[in-house]
Amino acid sequence: MSEVALIKNHRPSTGYEKLYGLIKQRSWGMVLAVLFLFGLFVAAIFPYFFAPDDPLGINPEFAFQAPSWAHWFGTDQSGRDIFTRVIHGSRQSLTIGVFAIALALSIAIPLGVLAGLIGGWVDRVIGWIVEILFAFPSLILALLFVAVFGSGIGQLVIATGIGIAPGYARMIRGQVIAVRKAGYIEAARALGHSPWRIVRRQLLPNAMRPLVVMVTMGVGQAIVWASALSFLGLGAKPPAPEWGTMMSAGRDFIANAWWLTFFPGFFILLTTLSTTVVGRYLQHRLEGREL
C-alpha cells in the first residue's frame, strides 16, 4: 500500500463522517439525540430565530387555545404562545443545568483529588464531609438550601450544584486512587519524573476521563432537579419561561388545558433522555466497546 493510501486511510474523520458512520450503523437513537441537543443549544443561543414572538407578551383574547397550526403547542391562561415560551425557556433551563454542573465540579474535583492523592487524615476528613452530605437525599439537600437562602435562579444553580457535588467527589476520589496504583504511574516514578509532572501528565488526565460521561448525563439530571424545584415554587418566578415554572403555572388547569404542562414536561424528558443516550455512547467509546 502506498504512503498516500496510508495517509488517506488514517486521516482524522470529520464530524460529518462520524455522523454518517452512526447512521450507517443504524444508531438512530444516538443520531436523534445529537440532533435534538444541537437544536436545543441553537435555540438557547438564538431563540428568536425559532420563535420570534415575545415569550412574556400577553393576549387574553387567545387564552387557553388548544394546539393548532396557529399555535403549535397551544396558549396559556394569559394567551401566551406555549411554543414560544418553551423555546425561550431552553436558555434558562440549559443555563441552570450547565452552571450547576460547573459548580458541582468546582467543589468535587478539589475534594476528590485531595482525598485520593494525599490519603490519610485528609481522606478521612473529606470522606466524613461527603458522607454527611450523602446522609441527605440530593434533592432534599437542594430543597434545604433554597429554604434557607431563598428562591431564585442563582439560588437554584447553587442548590442543584451542591446536591450533585458529593456523588462526583466520591467518583473522582475512587478514580484517583485506582490510577495512582496503575503500572504506568510506577514506571513514571522509576524514570525519575517529578511528582507534579506525574500528577499533571498521567494521573489527572486518566482519572478525569469518566467525568466526560458524568458531565454529559449530569446536565440532564441538573435540569430535572432545577425544574422540580421550580415546580415547587422555589426556582424561577412566574412569568419566567422556565420549564419547571411553566409546569407549575399550568398544573391548576391540567384538567381542561393539558398542553400547559405536557409540552414543557416533554422537553424536560427529551433533554434528559438525549443527554443520557449521548453519555452512554461516550461511555462505550471510552471503554472501547461497541454499541
Side-chain angles (χ1 to χ4, degrees), residues 26-41:
R26 292 185 173 86
S27 301
W28 296 110
M30 179 61 186
V31 172
L32 293 175
V34 170
L35 291 177
F36 175 79
L37 290 177
F38 175 76
L40 197 65
F41 276 102

Side-chain angles (χ1 to χ4, degrees), residues 120-207:
W121 68 269
V122 174
D123 186 17
R124 288 194 295 272
V125 171
I126 294 176
W128 291 336
I129 295 173
V130 172
E131 290 299 329
I132 291 172
L133 294 176
F134 263 119
F136 300 91
S138 300
L139 189 56
I140 300 299
L141 187 64
L143 280 169
L144 179 63
F145 181 90
V146 173
V148 173
F149 294 99
S151 59
I153 296 295
Q155 291 88 332
L156 193 60
V157 170
I158 296 173
T160 306
I162 291 176
I164 296 173
Y168 283 6
R170 175 177 285 183
M171 186 277 293
I172 293 170
R173 172 189 175 274
Q175 283 295 122
V176 170
I177 292 174
V179 173
R180 190 180 64 184
K181 298 178 181 178
Y184 56 84
I185 298 295
E186 297 296 333
R189 290 197 187 101
L191 290 172
H193 294 170
S194 66
W196 169 242
R197 181 178 179 181
I198 293 174
V199 170
R200 182 170 54 90
R201 299 290 296 274
Q202 277 94 20
L203 193 146
L204 285 181
N206 287 284

Side-chain angles (χ1 to χ4, degrees), residues 29-30 32-34 36-37 216-217 219-221 223-224 265-281:
M30 179 61 186
L32 293 175
V34 170
F36 175 79
L37 290 177
T216 304
M217 294 189 287
V219 171
Q221 179 189 11
I223 289 175
V224 170
F266 187 59
F267 266 71
I268 294 172
L269 173 64
L270 286 180
T271 304
T272 307
L273 183 61
S274 298
T275 54
T276 301
V277 169
V278 173
R280 292 297 183 188
Y281 173 79

Side-chain angles (χ1 to χ4, degrees), residues 229-244:
L229 292 173
S230 294
F231 182 80
L232 296 174
L234 300 175
K237 297 298 184 182
E242 195 272 332
W243 294 341

